[in-house]
């Protein structure tokens, strides 16, 4: 590890000796300093991946169950904090004001559900993957297959947003076309995941977390200091900036006699803009219902995401599973407390007509650029965003590959597969998924946070009800699980169908109605409760759960 | 022989004292969580009132007179400021920006003496041509072109200052100059301005209440509560839950 850290230090110091690049354009040019930082970061990831390479399937899927609770917490946070957290969330707040906060609350509040309803019980159940649990708990090969397919689909949907984020940052740093940026970024992350598997990924996630936090927090301290806000705790200091946006700042805006200017030399001045902070503002095009639906869907989806659930299998003890959630949530919150400040500073710094409305998904780096933050620090920020996307993608690809290899191939197709064969299948699954995700990411179907929220709604409608009832009600049986899963899939299919038809310019009966009430970003508000109710009703009406399952639940899971 | 019922388990009907205590902790946590997150938003929704910005009142007072074309220059100035205050918001859609730009141009050309109207129009046309060429430029050329546009806009602001009262270093001056268009309808009764009153209402009305107007640590209270406090609460709930569960396990001598 020391050699790896030394390599980072040498490469970073090399970058720091370069003269800071002057701010000319937000996009479109090759940025030397940031590019060196990015390459150094990527080389580090690959070295760590090689150093902690997976040697057998247990390492590949669950890191050999050797990760401590703080380490696992960092890995949870790193795994969790994707491009959606680092780039997308601030973009949502910049574009949709208070409604963007539904993402902040949704993506953190779900951990409370995860802790009190899932974490310890999942660890006690003692399976490797989500389909493993579902297939075993509901004594059904069919359910294992369907849940494995949905695990892959959820990971797939989640990855699309991440690859988009990776593409945006590569584009910003390299000054190349978006399509090439996505292809280059995807190739690197794919290579790294193939080399390392979960154990390398878990070690990397701890390093990635440190990079994400340092790179994300540093520019905010600088911005708060530079623009005369309370910089010692900028997560509180930006509150005054929010109030300034609401009330407006007249020009010229002076601090100690000197004008406060952005990197273009514009006054830090803004017309009164209460729409930035006021709830569900009519001008933002969002409503109270959407705030609630997004928040609920993200929370429930959090507790149903296979790659998040899978992290509880890698801790040695049940108590570690619980505390790793707390550590994970705390580490996540460090970034989530900070993200809205980028939206606020971004709003102030881009208020001049000459800057115009900025691309929402790149608002974090644009804000740092417009604030005149040193280009190397901005480069570090972009590298941190890429790290965030990498760590999540690695976890997702491993979860998807596990479902493909362990749950479909070994458990269904070839139970006698050797460990070597299993690993080969996992790697083929990773490559297939990576290539397909790259193709979809090139289509630019939505904002990063929105794309990722599709995965949450899918997880909330399919996996979450099965885990919730599977753990907490012995009466939930195979027939109930199948019916509930069918209901969840039905809602998911309706929402996705209307979305795809709408996207292609077509229209189905009730298009506007479904697009609003069952929108693809938040359809779980209906799908998840419906799947739970259907599961309960059908379970009550059909043959009870077998004795051995009930006994296992009572004695092993709820001791 | 073992009975199936012996192992029946549900979160609502735990099998032993530990289970019942555990259930109570879980439900208490869930209740706090749900009320804190969703209860607060319902409260926010229940007490909010659509509150207009000051500019909307001015606009609605002046608009009938503007339509009737019976405004003095001084009165036009306050009307102009309301348009600028909406145009300066970067949430405004491109279609609405066009309406506002046309309205601002219409007012400004009324305020400028007729003898200077042609000079102003040619300045605007020059800038529009430069703006149109930006899409084809990259790198330094792009930056240079932006600088030229900025200079032209600043000169235009200085040119207009005696009539509008907004200088280059004012908040309104640059927004005004950048909004000017060479093509617009000169009558506010024209169809292209029909949307203007609704548009002004849309961007100048906000859902406000005592929860949004109260300040906490510099934040509007509701913003602080949602963006900062709720996250602290989530971490706190998780810590309390873990401590409670571990204390209970120790007390009952249960090893997991």
């Amino acid at each position: 590890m020391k050699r790896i850290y030394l390599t980072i230090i040498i490469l970073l110091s090399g970058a720091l000796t370069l003269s800071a690049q002057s701010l000319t354009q937000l996009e479109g040019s090759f940025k030397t300093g940031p590019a060196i930082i990015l390459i150094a970061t990527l080389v580090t990831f690959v070295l760590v991946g090689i150093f902690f390479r997976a040697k057998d399937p247990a390492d590949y899927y669950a890191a050999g169950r050797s990760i401590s609770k703080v380490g696992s917490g960092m890995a949870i946070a790193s795994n969790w904090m994707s491009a959606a957290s680092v780039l997308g969330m601030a973009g949502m707040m910049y574009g949709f004001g208070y409604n963007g906060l539904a993402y902040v609350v949704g993506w953190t509040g779900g951990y409370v559900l995860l802790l009190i309803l899932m974490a310890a019980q999942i660890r006690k159940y003692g399976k490797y993957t989500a389909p493993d649990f579902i297939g075993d708990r509901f004594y059904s090969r069919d359910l294992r297959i369907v849940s494995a397919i949905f695990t892959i689909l959820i990971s797939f949907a989640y990855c699309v947003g991440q690859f988009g984020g990776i593409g945006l940052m590569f584009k910003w740093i390299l000054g190349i076309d978006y399509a090439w940026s996505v292809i280059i970024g995807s190739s690197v992350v794919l290579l790294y995941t193939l080399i390392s598997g979960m154990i390398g990924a878990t070690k990397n996630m701890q390093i990635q977390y440190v990079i994400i936090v340092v790179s994300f927090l540093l520019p905010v301290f600088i911005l708060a200091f530079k623009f005369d806000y309370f910089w010692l705790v900028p997560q509180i200091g930006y509150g005054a900036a929010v109030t300034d946006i609401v009330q407006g700042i007249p020009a010229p805006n002076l601090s100690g006699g000197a004008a406060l200017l952005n990197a273009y030399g514009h006054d830090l001045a803004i017309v009164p803009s209460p729409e930035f902070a006021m709830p569900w503002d009519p001008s933002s095009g969002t409503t109270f219902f959407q705030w609630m639906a997004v928040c609920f869907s993200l929370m429930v989806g959090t507790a149903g995401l296979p790659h998040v659930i899978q992290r509880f299998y890698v801790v040695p003890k049940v108590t570690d599973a619980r505390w790793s959630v707390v550590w994970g949530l705390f580490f996540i919150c460090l970034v989530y407390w900070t993200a809205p400040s980028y939206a606020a500073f971004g709003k102030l710094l881009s208020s001049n007509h000459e800057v115009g409305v900025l691309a929402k998904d790149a608002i974090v780096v644009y804000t740092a650029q417009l604030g005149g933050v040193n280009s190397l620090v901005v480069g570090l920020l972009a590298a941190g965003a890429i790290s965030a996307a990498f760590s999540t993608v690695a976890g997702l690809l491993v979860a998807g590959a596990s479902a493909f290899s362990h749950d479909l191939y070994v458990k269904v197709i070839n139970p006698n597969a050797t460990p070597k064969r299993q690993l080969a299948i996992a790697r083929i699954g990773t490559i297939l998924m990576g290539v397909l995700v790259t193709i979809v990411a090139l289509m630019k179907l939505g904002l990063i946070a929105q794309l990722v929220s599709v995965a949450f709604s899918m997880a909330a409608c399919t996996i979450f009800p099965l885990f919730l009832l599977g753990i907490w009600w012995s009466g939930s049986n195979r027939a109930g699980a199948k019916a509930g899963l069918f209901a969840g899939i039905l809602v998911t299919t309706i929402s996705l169908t209307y979305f795809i038809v709408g996207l292609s310019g077509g229209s189905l009966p009730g298009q506007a109605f479904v697009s609003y009430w069952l929108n693809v970003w938040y359809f779980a508000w209906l799908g998840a409760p419906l799947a739970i109710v259907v599961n309960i009703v059908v379970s009550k009406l059909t043959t009870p759960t077998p004795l051995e399952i009930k006994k296992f639940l009572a004695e092993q899971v709820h001791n | 022989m073992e009975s199936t019922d012996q192992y029946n388990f549900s979160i609502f009907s735990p099998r032993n004292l530990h289970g019942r205590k555990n259930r109570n902790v879980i439900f208490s946590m869930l209740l706090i969580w749900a009320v804190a997150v969703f209860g607060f938003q319902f409260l926010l929704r229940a007490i909010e009132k659509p509150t207009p910005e000051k500019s909307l009142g001015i606009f609605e007072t002046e608009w009938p007179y503007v339509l009737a074309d019976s405004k003095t220059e001084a009165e036009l100035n306050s009307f102009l400021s309301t348009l600028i205050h909406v145009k300066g918001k970067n949430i405004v859609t491109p279609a609405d920006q066009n309406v506002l730009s046309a309205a601002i141009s219409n007012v400004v050309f009324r305020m400028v003496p007729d003898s200077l109207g042609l000079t102003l129009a040619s300045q605007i046309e020059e800038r529009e041509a430069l703006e149109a060429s930006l899409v084809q430029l990259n790198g330094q050329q792009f930056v240079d072109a932006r600088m030229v546009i900025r200079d032209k806009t600043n000169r235009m602001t200085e040119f207009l200052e005696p009539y509008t009262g907004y200088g280059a270093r004012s908040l309104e001056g640059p927004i005004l100059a950048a909004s000017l268009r060479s093509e617009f309808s000169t009558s506010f009764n024209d169809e292209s301005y029909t949307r203007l009153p609704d548009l002004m209402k849309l961007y100048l009305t906000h859902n406000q209440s005592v929860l949004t107007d109260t300040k906490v640590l510099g934040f509007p209270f509701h913003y602080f509560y949602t963006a900062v406090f709720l996250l602290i609460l989530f971490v706190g709930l998780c810590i309390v839950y873990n401590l409670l569960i571990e204390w209970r396990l120790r007390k009952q001598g249960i090893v997991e």
Side-chain angles (χ1 to χ4, degrees), chain A residues 257-294:
Chain A
L260 293 171
L261 306 171
N262 73 9
Y264 282 142
H266 303 134
D267 272 305
L268 194 78
I270 190 167
V271 296
S273 306
E275 64 277 4
F276 177 76
M278 294 307 140
W280 30 92
D281 197 87
S283 64
S284 69
T286 53
T287 62
F288 170 71
F289 161 74
Q290 287 175 321
W291 198 102
M292 302 295 257
V294 167

Side-chain angles (χ1 to χ4, degrees), chain A residues 11-181:
Chain A
L11 288 170
L12 285 182
S13 55
L16 287 165
T17 55
L18 294 171
S19 60
Q21 195 178 8
S22 67
L23 178 78
T24 50
Q25 257 182 287
L26 295 177
E27 284 276 2
S29 55
F30 181 82
K31 298 169 182 68
T32 314
I36 291 173
I37 291 173
L38 173 66
I39 291 164
T41 311
L42 295 181
V43 168
T44 309
F45 293 163
V46 174
L47 287 177
V48 173
I50 292 169
F51 200 74
F52 294 99
R53 195 173 170 207
K55 293 173 186 71
D56 57 47
D59 273 353
Y60 196 84
Y61 302 136
R65 294 211 163 120
S66 61
I67 308 296
S68 73
K69 53 193 169 192
V70 179
S72 182
M74 285 174 106
I76 285 175
S78 172
N79 193 19
W80 179 257
M81 284 185 301
S82 60
S85 306
V86 174
L87 299 173
M89 217 160 48
M92 294 303 290
M93 283 172 274
Y94 176 78
F96 304 104
Y98 186 80
N99 269 54
L101 287 178
Y103 288 82
V104 176
V105 177
W107 279 332
T108 47
Y111 272 88
V112 180
L113 286 183
L114 196 60
L115 172 67
I116 62 181
L117 296 176
M118 305 271 188
Q121 288 74 20
I122 289 170
R123 182 65 190 86
K124 284 180 192 171
Y125 206 98
K127 293 292 171 187
Y128 272 139
T129 64
D132 242 358
F133 169 85
I134 292 165
D136 194 80
R137 166 62 184 83
F138 295 104
Y139 44 98
S140 166
R141 188 165 168 262
D142 296 346
L143 279 172
R144 173 191 289 280
I145 295 169
V146 176
S147 59
I149 291 168
F150 263 85
T151 298
I152 295 169
L153 287 176
I154 290 163
S155 299
F156 185 91
Y158 207 129
C159 272
V160 171
Q162 307 311 316
F163 277 39
I166 292 171
L168 270 179
M169 288 301 99
F170 269 72
K171 179 176 177 250
W172 178 82
I173 291 172
L174 304 177
I176 57 172
D177 185 42
Y178 173 78
W180 278 110
S181 309

Side-chain angles (χ1 to χ4, degrees), chain A residues 68-74 76 115 119-120 312 315 317-331, chain B residues 235-236 238-246 250:
Chain A
S68 73
K69 53 193 169 192
V70 179
S72 182
M74 285 174 106
I76 285 175
L115 172 67
F312 300 117
V315 289
K317 289 184 292 184
V318 175
T319 180
D320 291 347
R322 279 198 208 97
W323 282 105
S324 67
V325 177
V326 178
W327 281 109
L329 180 59
F330 174 71
F331 290 139
Chain B
V235 176
C238 289
I239 292 172
V240 170
Y241 173 79
N242 277 359
L243 293 175
L244 269 175
I245 291 294
E246 289 187 356
R250 267 199 313 274

Side-chain angles (χ1 to χ4, degrees), chain B residues 39-184:
Chain B
F40 179 79
Q41 307 305 326
F42 275 113
L43 177 67
L44 205 54
R45 176 74 173 159
I47 65 171
E48 75 187 13
K49 285 196 174 70
T51 310
E53 283 183 50
K54 199 174 143 195
S55 293
L56 184 61
I58 299 170
F59 174 85
E60 287 177 340
T61 309
E62 307 280 325
W63 180 237
Y65 298 103
V66 172
L67 280 178
D69 217 359
S70 60
K71 299 295 295 179
T72 64
E73 274 184 24
E75 288 167 330
L76 273 175
N77 208 315
S78 58
F79 178 73
L80 178 64
S81 85
T82 67
L83 298 174
I84 294 171
H85 277 199
V86 176
K87 183 67 170 55
K89 292 174 186 277
N90 68 6
I91 201 164
V92 180
T93 63
D96 291 345
Q97 281 190 22
N98 286 338
V99 177
L100 287 163
S101 290
I104 290 170
S105 305
N106 194 350
V107 175
V108 168
F109 272 90
R110 289 172 191 222
M111 296 170 88
V112 172
D114 292 344
S115 57
L116 297 176
L118 278 176
T119 316
L120 178 61
S122 70
Q123 285 182 6
I124 295 170
E125 279 167 11
E126 275 179 40
R127 195 192 55 196
E128 284 176 339
L130 274 169
E131 282 171 345
S133 69
L134 274 181
V135 285
Q136 295 156 356
L137 302 177
N138 255 322
Q140 197 54 43
Q141 283 181 321
F142 178 88
V143 176
D144 292 343
R146 289 280 294 254
M147 290 308 294
V148 175
I149 292 171
R150 184 192 288 194
D151 287 345
K152 285 194 177 297
T153 307
N154 285 344
R155 277 207 297 275
M156 228 183 283
T157 311
E158 284 163 14
F159 175 80
L160 290 170
E161 191 175 355
Y163 315 104
T164 61
Y166 300 127
R169 284 304 295 276
S170 70
L171 172 63
E172 292 85 355
I175 301 171
L176 182 148
S179 305
L180 294 176
R181 296 285 172 268
S182 56
E183 286 182 18
F184 57 89

Side-chain angles (χ1 to χ4, degrees), chain A residues 468-484:
Chain A
L468 181 74
L469 293 173
I471 289 169
W472 291 105
W473 183 40
S474 60
S476 177
N477 60 20
R478 179 168 55 195
K482 281 184 178 175

